[in-house]
Amino acid sequence: NMKIAVQLYSLRDIIKGSGEELLAILPKIKALGYDGVEFAGYFGVDAATLRAALDSAGLVAVGTHIAIESYSPENFDKTAEFCRTLGMKTMGMGGADHETPEELKATCAELKAADERAAKIGMSVYYHNHCSEFEPISDGVIPFDELKKAAHLEIDTYWSFVAGQDNYKLITENRDRIAQLHVKDGIGHTPKALGEGNCDIPEVVRAAKDIGIEWLIVENDDPVPNGLDDIGRSIKYLKSII
């Protein structure tokens, strides 16, 4: 039975960087039928307060987007403790530098060290892609091919679709590396609510079922007319095809 979470970046028009708004929105997300959330910053709220608010709303923390620096050797323990307090099994980032061979090499080394360290405490570290990871950089290397060897993946199935990937193939071929999946829709480079764009969402859901993914994470970078309304339409569509 697949569960549905939302990446809270989709609600930044309501949260507006405020810890109070972050806490206040959780019950509203639950009311729309979501089971979990993926964080995009904590806005000064400590882990214990956040965990209590999640428990009270009946939501699970499935992951997070924080900067790669949070996983550096000197910050790792603090980051992992925060994430474990929230109840996460895996923790991630929304991206990191990979535009040049040097940047890609450095990012992969940081990711590998962090993911190996996470494994020792029964966790993992994941990297979330946009389009550019599928485009070759100056030495002909495809960043995605290196990143997936370094750490776990959160495949943003909309940006992979825009980059020309076959999502069913991409997901099933990388099943051992996937920590999370982002379900997103859109037309061209403009994200839309699920079912309102031209992404191959039924194929994504089929692949997710075939590899036994526990969570589908809904995201919209640019919700219309507002975050709550948009993610409400998205979950309705997603539940109709699951």
Side-chain angles (χ1 to χ4, degrees):
N1 203 3
M2 260 188 302
K3 293 181 281 222
I4 304 173
V6 63
Q7 162 50 259
L8 291 172
Y9 186 70
S10 315
L11 295 158
R12 68 190 182 286
D13 62 327
I14 300 161
I15 297 169
K16 293 189 174 76
S18 148
E20 277 174 33
E21 294 293 346
L22 171 63
L23 296 171
I25 199 129
L26 297 175
K28 296 174 186 171
I29 291 168
K30 179 68 179 182
L32 290 174
Y34 285 89
D35 307 299
V37 294
E38 180 183 34
F39 287 94
Y42 310 111
F43 314 115
V45 185
D46 65 275
T49 304
L50 214 39
R51 178 63 190 260
L54 286 167
D55 290 349
S56 140
L59 290 167
V60 174
V62 299
T64 188
H65 282 190
I66 46 182
I68 191 170
E69 291 73 37
S70 312
Y71 301 100
S72 67
E74 59 275 17
N75 295 329
F76 184 89
D77 289 343
K78 196 172 70 177
T79 297
E81 191 187 349
F82 197 103
C83 292
R84 291 187 92 168
T85 300
L86 293 183
M88 290 175 206
K89 299 182 187 125
T90 184
M91 47 196 175
M93 66 202 71
D97 295 337
H98 59 273
E99 280 69 36
T100 67
E102 295 71 34
E103 284 177 354
L104 179 61
K105 200 173 171 191
T107 291
C108 286
E110 287 173 67
L111 282 171
K112 192 170 164 51
D115 199 28
E116 284 172 355
R117 194 160 170 184
K120 292 182 179 136
I121 53 167
M123 291 182 80
S124 60
V125 172
Y126 61 82
Y127 179 94
H128 165 276
N129 64 275
H130 292 86
C131 292
S132 61
E133 287 83 359
F134 297 99
E135 294 153 12
I137 54 175
S138 58
D139 56 358
V141 167
I142 308 281
F144 184 83
D145 295 343
E146 301 306 312
L147 292 161
K148 74 177 184 187
K149 289 184 233 167
H152 284 74
L153 299 167
E154 175 173 58
I155 295 186
D156 185 306
T157 58
Y158 183 61
W159 294 129
S160 55
F161 173 78
V162 172
Q165 298 292 311
D166 172 335
N167 272 327
Y168 184 83
K169 192 165 173 273
L170 185 70
I171 294 165
T172 52
E173 284 180 357
N174 291 293
R175 66 174 70 213
D176 299 335
R177 304 305 290 161
I178 294 174
Q180 301 286 13
L181 283 180
H182 264 195
V183 188
K184 186 190 284 188
D185 206 349
I187 296 170
H189 280 258
T190 309
K192 304 270 183 202
L194 299 185
E196 295 174 16
N198 57 15
C199 189
D200 57 345
I201 296 165
E203 282 296 287
V204 169
V205 170
R206 184 167 78 91
K209 284 180 177 171
D210 287 354
I211 71 164
I213 279 276
E214 188 184 359
W215 290 92
L216 291 176
I217 303 174
V218 170
E219 186 187 32
N220 188 345
D221 308 0
D222 208 3
V224 177
N226 60 64
L228 273 175
D229 192 277
D230 192 284
I231 70 164
R233 300 199 306 281
S234 284
I235 194 168
K236 211 169 274 182
Y237 170 79
L238 196 51
K239 284 190 163 174
S240 78
I241 66 164
I242 290 177

